[in-house]
Amino acid sequence: MAAVTSDPGPAPGALRWAVWLLRAEGVGLALLTLFLVYELFTATATDLLSALLVTLFAAGGAALLWVIGTALDRRRPAARAPAIVLQLMLLPIGYFMILGGLAWLGGPLIALGLLVVGLLISTGTNRALGFDTESA
């Protein structure tokens, strides 16, 4: 007996945008990682271990964002919660950037985090990931 496969059809726009934004964040973090690697080799380090750990943290974050975006693109429901957590982490980061005088960067980071969370909890995304939004 052949396995039955069902094509879920095209992803809703909200899910496609969320995946695109998560992957764009991953690429942005990968570029930051490249800059940090450059700084590791060219800057005078006072604490090499801390510099290495920050670079590894950025690289891990870039990989995680890409993997979560790919999982959501494949409609894996378990990927939504980690994606939301990562986006909510942008709120305190943006807030402290604003307090530190980088409002031009902190404000858009907060808006980006809220936008992606909104896309991830939208009705179309819920249906595409198999979450029942209607009460029986």
Side-chain angles (χ1 to χ4, degrees):
M1 178 180 251
V4 177
T5 58
S6 62
D7 182 19
L15 181 58
R16 283 194 315 266
W17 272 100
V19 167
W20 188 88
L21 289 170
L22 284 167
R23 287 180 174 170
E25 289 174 18
V27 169
L29 205 49
L31 292 173
L32 176 65
T33 301
L34 290 176
F35 172 73
L36 291 172
V37 168
Y38 169 78
E39 287 294 315
L40 275 172
F41 288 112
T42 60
T44 305
T46 56
D47 187 2
L48 184 59
L49 179 61
S50 293
L52 285 170
L53 289 175
V54 167
T55 304
L56 287 174
F57 184 76
L64 186 60
L65 283 165
W66 190 268
V67 167
I68 289 174
T70 300
L72 285 170
D73 195 29
R74 293 179 181 165
R75 298 188 187 183
R76 310 272 189 215
R80 185 173 76 161
I84 290 172
V85 169
L86 288 176
Q87 296 311 298
L88 291 177
M89 287 175 62
L90 290 177
L91 302 180
I93 292 170
Y95 173 75
F96 285 107
M97 289 179 105
I98 291 170
L99 288 182
L102 293 172
W104 62 272
L105 185 57
L109 277 180
I110 290 172
L112 176 64
L114 293 174
L115 171 66
V116 176
V117 167
L119 292 170
L120 289 170
I121 63 172
S122 70
T123 304
T125 299
N126 283 337
R127 287 190 185 129
L129 296 177
F131 295 108
D132 188 17
T133 59
E134 299 176 17
S135 301

